[in-house]
Amino acid sequence: MADSNPKDFSDTLNKEGARMEVDARSQGDTPDALGFKTFLIGGAGADPLLVDIAVDDAYRMDYPRRGKAVIINNRTFHPTTQMGERSGTEVDADNLYAQLGKLGFDVTRYDNLRAKEMLRVLQYAAREDHKDADCFVAAMLSHGEEGEIYGVDEAIPIDMLTSPFKGTNCLSLVGKPKIFIIQACRGTDLDHGVDKADSDEGAPVDEVDAVSVQRVPVEADFLMCYSVVKGYFSWRNSSKGSWFIQCLCRALELFSGKLEFTRLLTRVNKMVAYEFESNAVKQYMTRKKQIPCISSMLTKDLYLSAKH
């Protein structure tokens, strides 16, 4: 069951508006200095393979804790925003909560936060001690525009929400994955799609004793998972949830620990692109498509398997 919000973060304004929501082994001279870890690789329906990947090429996932995950789920908005109610977003939030929990994350969910409250929640999370954690995840489900996401009262730049986790601001997450999942529109364009004929496609359906110190870029080890590419609407079903979060949760269920995480997200791209097409009341919004967008600053392979 999802966590209840602190009273300071409760806001249940129910107003309607007009916006719709989208090994490599080392080639150096001293390979004996590297350790290797065996990963079980293989998706559903495929024979599993045991692959040795240089430890230096994969993020450590053997810290005592998997890490913290924050879900911010905004459904109802102040009328001044002119943003409509996001029906179906509870399905997204519930499914994400369940899937992240299965992966061992300590998940906290917040509903209907103002923009400043969203920032406060993430600043507080960044100030926590993550030294014994594998990684960090934040998922934000709301309305949005390019570069911004909405609190229930106003928009806030996404960069402002991710900034507390940069290397200079959150030392205990330096060198660890910081994953941000953004389910929100990034513009107002509609993706009309294009017909594709391809015989192989079916039809779409509705660490060590000696420690060395390395300098790393402050922007390193971020992974931004956007529901849609820049400029476009992001689609959401009022009963089943958003296309992107539906597919992300399904991919986490099927492929976590079997596929490297950016490859898993590529599967999500394919699911959204080929399995969904809009069925809207307004004719000009019918039969539209969507493609998610991965922006990776990761420096190693990331394998998210269940935490034991």
Side-chain angles (χ1 to χ4, degrees):
M1 180 177 294
D3 291 356
S4 298
N5 283 350
K7 290 183 179 179
D8 290 346
F9 297 133
S10 63
D11 191 339
T12 54
L13 299 170
N14 188 13
K15 301 292 182 179
E16 290 190 9
R19 179 62 59 86
M20 193 183 67
E21 8 180 347
V22 122
D23 156 346
R25 295 176 185 262
S26 171
Q27 300 301 311
D29 296 326
T30 56
D32 58 337
L34 290 174
F36 290 83
K37 183 173 182 179
T38 300
F39 289 86
L40 179 65
I41 309 298
D47 292 332
L49 299 174
L50 292 177
V51 178
D52 285 338
I53 297 178
V55 171
D56 242 15
D57 291 335
Y59 287 106
R60 278 190 60 185
M61 288 287 127
D62 59 354
Y63 287 92
R65 297 188 297 121
R66 173 50 44 90
K68 185 178 185 65
V70 172
I71 298 173
I72 297 175
N73 175 49
N74 291 340
R75 172 170 177 151
T76 56
F77 298 81
H78 193 277
T80 57
T81 66
Q82 296 187 317
M83 295 293 164
E85 182 176 346
R86 299 181 61 253
S87 301
T89 190
E90 286 83 6
V91 178
D92 284 346
D94 289 346
N95 289 338
L96 267 180
Y97 191 100
Q99 288 301 324
L100 292 172
K102 288 180 182 179
L103 292 172
F105 285 97
D106 175 17
V107 189
T108 304
R109 171 177 162 180
Y110 301 91
D111 291 311
N112 296 318
L113 297 190
R114 298 179 177 90
K116 289 181 179 179
E117 291 172 337
M118 294 171 67
L119 179 59
R120 193 185 315 158
V121 163
L122 292 173
Q123 287 174 331
Y124 181 81
R127 287 196 296 266
E128 293 184 17
D129 188 352
H130 302 272
K131 288 197 298 290
D132 64 343
D134 296 333
C135 57
F136 172 81
V137 171
M140 291 176 274
L141 319 175
S142 189
H143 287 299
E145 298 173 356
E146 176 52 28
E148 296 183 325
I149 192 164
Y150 273 83
V152 297
D153 58 341
E154 61 181 341
I156 184 170
I158 293 173
D159 285 351
M160 186 178 293
L161 298 174
T162 61
S163 181
F165 299 90
K166 291 182 180 181
T168 49
N169 300 326
C170 185
L171 294 177
S172 62
L173 280 173
V174 169
K176 298 180 180 182
K178 296 162 279 286
I179 304 167
F180 287 83
I181 300 165
I182 313 292
Q183 167 56 46
C185 289
R186 300 181 70 189
T188 58
D189 288 345
L190 295 168
D191 189 332
H192 302 285
V194 61
D195 291 335
K196 172 183 178 291
D198 194 329
S199 60
D200 65 359
E201 290 290 347
V205 297
D206 202 296
E207 185 175 297
V208 290
D209 291 335
V211 178
S212 60
V213 177
Q214 287 183 306
R215 289 178 60 83
V216 298
V218 296
E219 306 276 359
D221 305 299
F222 278 84
L223 179 62
M224 306 299 297
C225 313
Y226 294 99
S227 62
V228 71
V229 294
K230 177 180 178 180
Y232 285 87
F233 273 123
S234 182
W235 292 89
R236 172 177 36 82
N237 183 278
S238 59
S239 60
K240 296 180 181 179
S242 65
W243 299 357
F244 175 60
I245 300 298
Q246 286 184 60
C247 294
L248 176 60
C249 289
R250 179 148 54 103
L252 289 172
E253 181 75 30
L254 292 172
F255 305 122
S256 288
K258 300 174 184 177
L259 292 179
E260 195 276 331
F261 197 67
T262 56
R263 290 187 60 200
L264 181 151
L265 292 173
T266 302
R267 297 292 180 96
V268 173
N269 283 3
K270 181 180 180 182
M271 291 175 184
V272 173
Y274 286 95
E275 296 181 14
F276 288 84
E277 189 171 90
S278 66
N279 181 18
V281 174
K282 297 180 179 178
Q283 188 61 34
Y284 76 94
M285 286 186 168
T286 295
R287 299 197 65 196
K288 304 310 176 189
K289 304 294 288 184
Q290 179 179 327
I291 183 69
C293 178
I294 309 163
S295 179
S296 176
M297 285 69 74
L298 297 182
T299 57
K300 299 181 181 182
D301 294 334
L302 172 58
Y303 290 87
L304 273 179
S305 54
K307 190 78 170 177
H308 299 294

